Each structure stands twice: as C-alpha cells, then as structure tokens.
C-alpha cells in the first residue's frame, strides 16, 4: 500500500517563480569615498534598479554659513570636498569679491590660479591611485601617493595645511609667497611630470584593468546633459565644456587651457580623462610660475575693514573644480553674514545618474562603475 507525503513549502513561496533580491551596498563600504548607500534590486547577478541614498554625512554647512561672517564661512566651505579644499575656498571669495566690486592684485590672481591647478593635480592623483585599488590593483596607489607628497610639500610650506589650506582671503591670499617657493614648486611640478609615465604605464598597460573598464558603465551625452553631470566624467562622454576655457575666471583667460575629452563614455574613458588632465594642469602650473616670475614685487591682498559687510544683493559664481562645476549662490542683506549661501556641488549631480547608469549591469561591474564616477561623499551631502 503506497503512502502519500505532504510537504509544507511555506505560505510566502511562489511556485515556478523567483523573487528579486534587494541588496544594500553601504552605508559603510570600502569602495566609496565616504559614507554612501546604494539600494540595489537584483535579478540574479544583474542589477534591475538602483537608488543612491545620501545624507549620512550631512553637516548643515549651508545653514552654518548664515551665522558666520564672510571671513569665517571660508573655513566651512573648504571642507565639503576634502580633496579640493583650495578650489572650494576660491568660489566663496570670488562671489564675495564680485558683490563688493573688488579687484585683487595681479600677484594674487596668478598665485590663486597656480594653487588651484596644483590642488587639481592632488585631487586627480588620489583617484588615479584609488580607482585601480577598487578593481583589485594595489600597487598604483603607492606611486600616486609618492607624487602627491611632492606637491603636498609645497602646498604645506605655503599655507601650513595639508588638506584644508585656508589660504584664500577676500581680496587675495593670506600672505605672500615664501622666498624661493616658486623655485621649489617648479621642481615639484617637473618631478611629478617626469614620473607620471610610471603610473600611466603601470595601469594603462594592464590587460585586466582594461578588461574591467572598457565598454563598462557607458554614459551617453544625453544622460550627461539631463543630470547636469560635469567635470572629467562629462568630458569622457564627449561634452566639450570647461569653465576655465569657456567662461574664464582668475587668470585662465590669459592661458592656453587644454580641455581633455573622450567619446566612449565608459569607465576607461573617464580614467583616461583624469590621467591626461593631470598633464594639462601641470602645464598650466608651469605657465603660472613663469608669469609670477615676471611680475614686479607688490601686494598679494587688499586691506579690509575690521567688520566686512557685503552690499545688499545677490550673485552666482561658479568654478571648474577638480570634480566638476561648483556653483556659489550668495544673497546678502547688507550684513556681516550672508543671508543665504547655496552650494551647487559637482558630486551631487554626478552621483544621481547612477540610478540610470547601473540598471542592466552586472553586480561584478558595479564597483568598477562606482569608482569611475570620481565623487567625494562630503561633496554630495554638504
């Protein structure tokens, strides 16, 4: 006599069907430059939807601006992108100087341009070292940090800081360049340029790196424009736009700014743009050093009143930061503090496109794509 066996399979199970799995990447993850969370919906090993969840590092900088005077807001503004502190300071002082109708001395203009380009190289070297690390290559980061140290040395000598320089001031720079500093800066630029080929050969000649990045995470020009993506990421997709050339500020109007672009729009193209842009910035740094050597001695800042009040009104200043376009919308009611200071940071827009870029890709390619977006989470959250 046969027996019938009944097996309980659970009330929630569905026959002949599989359910999508939701996977949280973060909010603490070693492959992100800060505390980011990605909520992914997976269909097997393929991502079907992605949602970047931000705000874990929000510090309320924009509200803090409203209770700090125009000298104090610089120390807050230089921290959201901790790899681009000098460039962050720059946007604030340019906005305030525009509201005041203030012209800064030529020496300050050229020195600011030089330091902004050195800061750009420092930023790019960080990502040139960390991105290969994220896809499994540990050696390049040691080469990148060796070159960073050469430039950090001259930046530290002039400002006293290694990350948050606090060297910009409304009206110019904190103080004049130390004696012999331009010579040491020129040597650092020359040394870094001479050894960049070691980093390039090490990474670009690696067939595993190329296999992980070529044709992966392709961003179209239309997506770039829809999401307001900017910087090296946008230029890697053929968007030929750079404020330094197209709407010059500081001394860029007197310089030959070479804008590096690619058309492929994949992870490899974004990395190549970053690499080539280091050479372009080193060339601009040399040109600034040449010009500083020709300028006669003179002041490097303007004398300011003890209490600095900005006339009533509003202005918008934007700069080509290392990671993309940074905008500074300043509203003043004629007081010593801004009524409103709104930051438009590059990383915020650059990361939003992940919700459109990641679906359809494999989970194994997600880290390669995420690392190639070159963002700093403090720059997203502010």
């Amino acid at each position: 006599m046969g027996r019938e066996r009944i097996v309980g399979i659970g009330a929630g199970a569905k026959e002949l069907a599989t359910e999508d799995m939701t996977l949280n990447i973060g909010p603490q993850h070693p492959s992100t430059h800060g505390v980011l969370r990605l909520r992914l919906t997976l269909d097997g090993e393929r991502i079907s939807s992605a949602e970047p969840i931000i705000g874990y590092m929000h510090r309320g900088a924009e509200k803090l601006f409203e209770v700090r005077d125009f000298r104090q807001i610089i120390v807050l503004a230089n921290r959201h992108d901790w790899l681009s502190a000098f460039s962050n300071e720059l946007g604030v002082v340019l906005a305030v100087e525009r509201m005041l109708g203030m012209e800064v001395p030529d020496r300050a203009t050229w020195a600011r341009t030089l330091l902004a380009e050195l800061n750009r190289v420092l930023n790019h070297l960080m990502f040139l070292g960390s991105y290969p690390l994220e896809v499994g290559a540990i050696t390049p980061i040691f080469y990148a940090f060796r070159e960073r140290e050469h430039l950090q040395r001259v930046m530290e000598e002039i400002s006293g800081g290694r990350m948050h320089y606090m060297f910009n001031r409304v009206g110019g720079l904190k103080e004049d360049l130390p004696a012999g500093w331009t010579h040491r800066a020129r040597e650092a630029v020359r040394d870094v340029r001479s050894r960049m080929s070691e980093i390039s050969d090490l990474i670009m000649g690696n067939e595993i790196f190329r296999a992980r990045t070529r044709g992966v995470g392709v961003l179209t020009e239309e997506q770039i424009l829809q999401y307001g993506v900017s910087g090296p990421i946008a230029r890697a997709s053929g968007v030929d736009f750079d404020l330094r050339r197209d709407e010059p500020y500081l001394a860029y109007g007197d310089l030959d700014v070479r804008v590096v672009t690619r058309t492929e729009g994949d992870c490899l193209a974004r990395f190549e743009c970053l690499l080539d842009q280091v050479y372009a910035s080193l060339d601009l740094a040399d040109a600034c050093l040449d010009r500083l050597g020709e300028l006669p001695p003179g002041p490097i800042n303007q004398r300011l009143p003890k209490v600095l009040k900005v006339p009533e009104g509003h202005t918008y200043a934007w700069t080509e930061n290392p990671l993309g376009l940074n905008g500074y919308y300043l509203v003043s009611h004629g007081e010593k503090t801004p009524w409103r200071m709104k930051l438009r940071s590059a990383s915020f827009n650059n990361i939003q496109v992940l919700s459109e870029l990641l679906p359809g890709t494999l989970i194994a390619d997600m880290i390669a794509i995420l690392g190639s977006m070159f963002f700093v989470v403090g720059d997203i959250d502010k």
Side-chain angles (χ1 to χ4, degrees):
M1 182 178 177
R3 291 187 297 179
E4 183 178 331
R5 178 175 292 173
I6 299 173
V7 179
I9 59 172
K14 294 185 176 73
E15 292 185 45
L16 303 176
T18 59
E19 291 189 36
D20 290 341
M21 181 175 73
T22 300
L23 177 68
N24 279 289
I25 303 293
Q28 288 85 24
H29 196 276
S31 294
T32 59
H33 299 270
V35 187
L36 176 71
R37 178 183 170 200
L38 288 175
R39 185 159 56 202
L40 308 177
T41 304
L42 304 180
D43 180 8
E45 292 189 20
R46 199 167 292 277
I47 298 170
S48 56
S49 69
E51 180 189 2
I53 301 173
I54 64 175
Y56 290 93
M57 293 192 68
H58 179 64
R59 291 163 289 179
E62 291 179 353
K63 292 303 291 181
L64 291 172
F65 290 156
E66 298 170 15
V67 290
R68 303 290 192 277
D69 66 35
F70 289 100
R71 293 180 175 91
Q72 294 170 328
I73 61 175
I74 299 172
V75 76
L76 291 170
N78 79 0
R79 280 164 161 72
H80 56 92
D81 174 2
W82 46 76
L83 297 176
S84 312
F86 187 87
S87 301
N88 299 338
E89 300 168 10
L90 201 52
V92 175
V93 296
L94 289 175
V96 175
E97 287 162 4
R98 184 180 298 173
M99 293 279 283
L100 291 168
M102 178 183 291
E103 289 190 17
V104 303
D106 279 350
R107 282 175 58 77
T109 299
W110 283 96
R112 280 176 171 179
T113 310
L114 167 63
L115 293 169
E117 290 307 311
L118 294 180
N119 192 198
R120 192 181 310 275
V121 175
L122 283 168
N123 174 290
H124 291 353
L125 282 170
M126 177 70 224
F127 286 104
L128 290 173
S130 69
Y131 182 46
L133 181 65
E134 287 160 10
V135 294
I138 192 172
T139 307
I141 199 164
F142 298 112
Y143 285 79
F145 265 76
R146 178 189 64 185
E147 305 315 318
R148 274 176 56 86
E149 280 303 312
H150 279 277
L151 295 177
Q152 286 281 32
R153 194 173 295 119
V154 295
M155 294 293 280
E156 186 175 7
E157 180 187 354
I158 198 172
S159 67
R162 287 178 61 83
M163 286 187 71
H164 304 298
Y165 304 109
M166 273 304 294
F167 199 57
N168 274 293
R169 294 292 186 273
V170 175
L173 294 173
K174 177 186 174 185
E175 55 199 10
D176 207 345
L177 312 179
W181 181 86
T182 53
H183 174 69
R184 291 185 287 278
R186 192 183 293 277
E187 286 185 337
V189 169
R190 182 196 64 209
D191 291 345
V192 170
R193 182 189 286 107
S194 68
R195 287 194 293 263
M196 280 303 297
S197 60
E198 296 178 17
I199 300 176
S200 176
D201 294 344
L202 185 66
I203 303 169
M204 301 309 294
N206 187 302
E207 60 184 34
I208 299 175
F209 178 82
R210 299 182 76 88
R212 289 290 308 275
T213 55
R214 186 192 285 120
V216 175
V218 176
L219 267 176
T220 65
E221 186 174 343
E222 183 182 3
Q223 289 172 324
I224 295 288
L225 299 176
Q226 284 177 339
Y227 281 83
V229 176
S230 58
I233 301 172
R235 292 191 282 272
S237 295
V239 178
D240 188 6
F241 181 72
D242 190 312
L243 279 180
R244 295 172 297 169
R245 180 198 63 192
D246 301 325
E247 288 193 26
Y249 58 98
L250 294 181
Y252 289 115
D254 297 322
L255 293 168
D256 180 19
V257 179
R258 180 168 67 90
V259 179
V260 178
T261 60
R262 294 289 188 277
T263 56
E264 296 85 356
D266 57 8
C267 295
L268 183 60
R270 292 191 278 275
F271 187 84
E272 287 176 343
C273 269
L274 211 66
L275 183 63
D276 286 353
Q277 205 161 275
V278 168
Y279 291 103
S281 289
L282 292 173
D283 291 342
L284 289 173
D286 270 338
C288 291
L289 286 165
D290 291 341
R291 184 72 177 118
L292 280 170
E294 298 168 359
L295 290 175
I300 203 153
N301 51 37
Q302 296 274 26
R303 292 183 63 86
L304 299 176
K306 187 173 182 180
V307 177
L308 180 63
K309 293 187 177 182
V310 171
E312 188 170 351
H314 61 91
T315 191
Y316 182 76
W318 58 343
T319 57
E320 186 69 44
N321 265 40
L323 297 180
L325 298 179
N326 266 34
Y328 302 82
Y329 181 57
L330 172 62
V331 183
S332 173
H333 282 184
E335 302 295 332
K336 66 178 183 178
T337 61
W339 185 79
R340 183 79 167 91
M341 182 75 170
K342 169 67 179 171
L343 293 180
R344 187 272 188 207
S345 60
S347 296
F348 180 84
N349 290 65
N350 291 359
I351 212 65
Q352 300 308 314
V353 78
L354 285 173
S355 59
E356 191 165 328
L357 178 60
L358 288 177
T361 63
L362 294 171
I363 189 71
D365 290 330
M366 188 271 297
I367 293 297
I369 295 170
L370 191 62
S372 74
M373 297 308 287
F374 308 132
F375 62 89
V376 169
V377 177
D379 199 40
I380 302 170
D381 291 348
K382 302 189 288 292

